[in-house]
Amino acid sequence: MTTTGGRPAALVTGASRGIGLGIARRLADAGYDLTVSARDAARLDKAAAALADAGGRVHPVPADMAIENDVQRLAAEHSQHHGRLDVLVIGAGVGSSGALEETTMKRYDLQFDVNVRAPFVLLQTSLPLLRKTAAANPEHGAKVIALASITGVAAELALAVYGATKAALISLCRSVNTEESAHGVSATAICPGYVDTDMAAYMRDRIEPHQMIRVEDVAELAMSVTRLSAFAVVPELVVTRPGEQLWRA
Ligand SMILES: NC(=O)c1ccc[n+]([C@@H]2O[C@H](COP(=O)([O-])OP(=O)(O)OC[C@H]3O[C@@H](n4cnc5c(N)ncnc54)[C@H](OP(=O)(O)O)[C@@H]3O)[C@@H](O)[C@H]2O)c1
């Protein structure tokens, strides 16, 4: 990629496994220095060590996105370690399935805290560094990539709250574009159906893993967004599985 000198830097949440790790791997291979985050410190350290094999600086920060202080500390640690933020990947997310009438407010709150509140706080806290990075590199700008879901685009049975959080995340990305993209900071919500990761494991008795979207496909889309100039804004990318029901997860 083209930047104004030095290695670009990315912050990836949910980077210890699944889609976040897939994107972090591709970013490391593309020459990014990284801050990676998740709750399980041991698993995160292992992922960070493997990512560092690509040759860049990788800083692991264990943090729980349900805790506001952790989210703020994460943004601050990234800033201290790398001093620039070319790509912010909002990957951490939680889902819980169940009919509307069965959903407890505890489950509701956890999904909104991790999937909407944390991204908002992380965006707000990271914005000065994203702006600074974009201003130093006006041709490329700085990118936010949020892992939303196709359930935020069309309602999916038994995923009402999860879908509502992802619709909110898509909306948040649109607002970033409205407020910031003229100054080089743009956001893309990637909205896939079922991707073969731990999160979709509960569906494996209904959808064979090999029929699910591949982590590599989502990582490929994320990387394409990182290579765009600041003059192409992609608010969202919807990815569906093959078959007749295009808007189903
Ligand atoms: N898999 C799918 O079918 C699918 C489809 C559409 C969208 N998505 C979205 O894509 C994103 C990644 O999903 P995935 O399938 O890769 O999930 P995954 O395999 O379950 O991985 C989730 C990642 O997020 C971290 N995480 C979970 N809760 C966290 C918390 N409270 N604080 C900090 N980190 C947390 C996990 O590490 P720790 O557990 O150690 O914290 C892990 O690194 C999510 O936002 C998800 O909603 C997934």
Side-chain angles (χ1 to χ4, degrees):
M1 67 171 290
T2 49
T3 58
T4 49
R7 292 170 64 90
L11 164 55
V12 185
T13 70
S16 62
R17 54 196 164 91
I19 304 169
L21 177 58
I23 296 174
R25 234 181 238 133
R26 290 288 305 271
L27 288 166
D29 289 345
Y32 281 77
D33 287 332
L34 294 172
T35 297
V36 289
S37 187
R39 286 167 305 175
D40 182 334
R43 197 199 298 252
L44 182 65
D45 281 346
K46 213 170 148 190
L51 291 166
D53 285 346
R57 290 186 299 141
V58 182
H59 179 52
V61 180
D64 185 344
M65 294 297 102
I67 300 171
E68 185 174 333
N69 277 350
D70 278 22
V71 183
Q72 283 169 346
R73 177 174 51 81
L74 171 61
E77 283 210 27
H78 174 87
S79 182
Q80 280 155 18
H81 270 76
H82 298 300
R84 62 189 285 172
L85 183 53
D86 299 83
V87 178
L88 168 62
V89 179
I90 300 173
V94 286
S96 158
S97 88
L100 274 173
E101 61 181 350
E102 294 163 3
T103 301
T104 64
M105 291 319 289
K106 195 175 167 194
R107 285 186 169 201
Y108 177 101
D109 285 340
L110 178 66
Q111 291 176 85
F112 267 90
D113 283 351
V114 176
N115 299 356
V116 186
R117 200 172 193 281
F120 181 77
V121 173
L122 189 57
L123 271 167
Q124 206 176 44
T125 321
S126 304
L127 208 45
L129 193 57
L130 285 163
R131 283 183 184 147
K132 186 180 134 193
T133 308
N137 189 9
E139 184 56 31
H140 188 262
K143 320 282 186 198
V144 176
I145 296 171
L147 295 178
S149 163
I150 202 167
T151 63
V153 179
E156 180 79 13
L157 213 58
L159 289 174
V161 176
Y162 178 72
T165 66
K166 295 303 189 178
L169 186 57
I170 292 167
S171 175
L172 202 49
C173 288
R174 291 178 185 166
S175 294
V176 169
N177 291 326
T178 306
E179 290 190 23
E180 300 291 333
S181 63
H183 310 294
V185 180
S186 67
T188 301
I190 302 185
C191 311
Y194 288 114
V195 182
D196 182 22
T197 67
D198 294 348
M199 184 180 264
Y202 78 104
M203 287 298 293
R204 283 181 189 150
D205 56 343
R206 280 160 280 175
I207 304 171
E208 298 274 339
H210 76 269
Q211 292 178 322
M212 292 185 187
I213 298 161
R214 313 289 193 255
V215 166
E216 293 71 25
D217 291 323
V218 183
E220 180 63 33
L221 285 172
M223 291 311 292
S224 327
V225 170
T226 68
R227 289 188 290 265
L228 295 173
S229 83
F231 301 91
V233 175
V234 182
E236 56 247 2
L237 289 165
V238 179
V239 193
T240 187
R241 292 182 300 112
E244 292 170 11
Q245 294 178 303
L246 276 187
W247 300 99
R248 292 294 309 278

